[in-house]
Amino acid sequence: MPRYWTEPPFKHGTSPRTGVLLVNLGTPEAPTATALRPYLKQFLSDPRVVEIPRLVWWPILNGIILNTRPKASAKKYASVWMDEGSPLKVHTERQAKLLAGYLAKAGHDGLDIAYAMRYGAPSIADTLNAMRSRGCTRILVLPLYPQYSASTSATVFDEVGRCLARWRNQPEMRFVRSFQDHPGYIAALAQSVRDHWAVNGAPDRLLLSFHGVPRRSLDLGDPYHCECHKTGRLVAEALGVAPERVMVTFQSRFGKAEWLKPYTQPTLEALAAQGVGRVDVMCPGFVADCLETLEEIAMECKEAFLEKGGKVFHYIPCLNERDDWIRALMELTRSHLGNWLDIPPLDAAASAACQARARALGAKQ
């Protein structure tokens, strides 16, 4: 196999374009054990996701987890599956389409807006190749993870690098590292809470639940914990509520190792035991509803809180297709595109003509 892929043939009339690639975590193709197995294998085989030596982890993954977890996970996915498919994929696709529309209305109708999943389909490799075929010579990669972590954002950068390593004619690239304190993102989160409270009243406690990571990652220098707390502080300040009424917690713990604390479900159970009657839970680390928000929080955590004596539990949905969030996403995109919005990309036709002339000269020599 050659190290570099052959570049696609140049198509006359193709104008060079600037592209934006939104990337989210991923999803199985269907809520079945058969579909879950390859998805989980790809996800849990990433050394940034599971930082255990492969000699130790590989027998556990292939001998135990992939033979037991797919069936249990499939039932959970089935409980939140939408008519159009996985909630995460549905919302991410809608966000990409809305972003394209908002940018076009703002005068940037020549941009190529696409989305991909880090694990599963559409893959980063397939989407980048499709963008290349559409003439993209500049690409901004925007992982939809507000808070940076090596196990999320960095895996996207890794995969993009692996894909481009096979390209002979590479595009210019830019990356969004994180946006945990972006004013538009914070404002959209706060307004989402206000909108919910305007209809349902305010709770005794507001929990901001973020996806957990192993505690060891914090000790090794991962900034995720700090960025989650910064988002939580800024949301509380924007809402103007007393700090003791807002709590930052971490969910989705996996395995027996210590993860970032406090854990979401045990915190909810403790609040119920203490006599706290109503809690609202929001998940600022997810910009699109998914299994972790719709099943783990809105179903499992709600049941746990009520069983321990809590009276009222409300889940506040993710930003999804909110107008203020898409506008914030547009501003985030424009700020990182920067001068790419003003300077046209390298003319692909001129580049192809130069290469043809060079080949012709070489043939004469």
Side-chain angles (χ1 to χ4, degrees):
M1 177 184 290
R3 181 178 178 184
Y4 301 107
W5 291 334
T6 301
E7 293 300 312
F10 172 73
K11 298 179 181 178
H12 289 282
T14 301
S15 299
R17 305 180 70 184
T18 294
V20 178
L21 175 60
L22 306 180
V23 184
N24 218 320
L25 181 71
T27 177
E29 289 294 287
T32 64
T34 301
L36 258 296
R37 195 173 194 280
Y39 167 71
L40 288 175
K41 183 171 185 177
Q42 183 188 16
F43 175 47
L44 296 175
S45 295
D46 191 325
R48 284 197 185 268
V49 173
V50 180
E51 296 186 77
I52 298 175
R54 179 155 293 201
L55 286 175
V56 176
W57 175 241
W58 218 237
I60 298 173
L61 174 62
N62 291 280
I64 301 175
I65 294 176
L66 293 180
N67 290 318
T68 58
R69 192 174 178 88
K71 185 176 181 180
S73 294
K75 292 181 180 179
K76 295 183 177 184
Y77 272 101
S79 69
V80 300
W81 209 257
M82 302 170 68
D83 291 340
E84 306 98 310
S86 160
L88 180 69
K89 186 174 181 179
V90 170
H91 288 302
T92 303
E93 182 176 16
R94 290 175 182 174
Q95 289 172 353
K97 290 179 178 178
L98 286 170
L99 176 62
Y102 280 40
L103 285 165
K105 289 181 180 179
H108 311 301
D109 54 353
L111 295 173
D112 186 314
I113 311 299
Y115 79 95
M117 296 293 166
R118 174 60 186 88
Y119 311 101
S123 70
I124 290 175
D126 288 345
T127 307
L128 283 174
N129 280 320
M131 296 176 78
R132 174 170 59 166
S133 70
R134 294 194 293 267
C136 289
T137 59
R138 291 173 175 164
I139 300 176
L140 170 68
V141 178
L142 199 170
L144 292 171
Y145 309 122
Q147 297 77 27
Y148 174 92
S149 172
S151 58
T152 54
S153 310
T155 69
V156 172
F157 305 154
D158 289 346
E159 184 64 12
V160 169
R162 276 191 289 267
C163 295
L164 296 185
R166 302 294 301 276
W167 291 20
R168 183 176 297 279
N169 185 14
Q170 293 189 348
E172 291 184 78
M173 300 296 299
R174 290 180 180 174
F175 297 87
V176 178
R177 178 190 177 279
S178 61
F179 51 94
Q180 78 283 352
D181 56 357
H182 185 273
Y185 161 68
I186 297 298
L189 289 173
Q191 190 57 48
S192 177
V193 175
R194 291 192 200 97
D195 291 346
H196 182 83
W197 289 355
V199 175
N200 301 285
D204 300 312
R205 295 287 190 280
L206 171 66
L207 262 64
L208 303 179
S209 179
F210 294 84
H211 198 290
V213 297
R215 165 58 196 249
R216 180 172 177 271
S217 65
L218 172 62
D219 298 333
L220 292 173
D222 197 300
Y224 179 73
H225 180 262
C226 297
E227 294 193 3
C228 290
H229 276 278
K230 185 172 187 180
T231 297
R233 175 175 59 80
L234 292 174
V235 169
E237 290 175 357
L239 289 171
V241 298
E244 60 269 18
R245 288 183 57 201
V246 181
M247 302 178 68
V248 170
T249 61
F250 297 90
Q251 64 182 84
S252 308
R253 182 162 52 109
F254 177 75
K256 296 181 179 180
E258 180 183 359
W259 282 39
L260 295 181
K261 294 180 178 179
Y263 302 140
T264 298
Q265 184 169 321
T267 298
L268 287 166
E269 293 172 348
L271 288 173
Q274 294 165 13
V276 174
R278 173 183 159 185
V279 296
D280 287 359
V281 182
M282 185 184 206
C283 300
F286 302 87
V287 298
D289 271 311
C290 55
L291 181 74
E292 286 78 7
T293 64
L294 298 173
E295 195 277 334
E296 182 180 355
I297 297 298
M299 295 182 186
E300 289 186 7
C301 285
K302 176 180 180 179
E303 182 179 359
F305 178 72
L306 298 178
E307 283 185 350
K308 292 295 183 179
K311 303 302 180 184
V312 180
F313 179 103
H314 287 175
Y315 166 64
I316 301 175
C318 291
L319 295 174
N320 295 328
E321 294 85 51
R322 286 181 59 95
D323 174 77
D324 47 10
W325 158 237
I326 303 300
R327 291 187 182 281
L329 186 59
M330 178 180 69
E331 291 308 316
L332 178 67
T333 300
R334 292 204 297 188
S335 67
H336 283 80
L337 287 172
N339 63 345
W340 282 2
L341 294 173
D342 304 317
I343 303 174
L346 175 67
D347 191 306
S351 176
C354 288
Q355 292 179 30
R357 286 195 296 271
R359 286 193 294 270
L361 288 172
K364 291 179 180 179
Q365 295 176 353

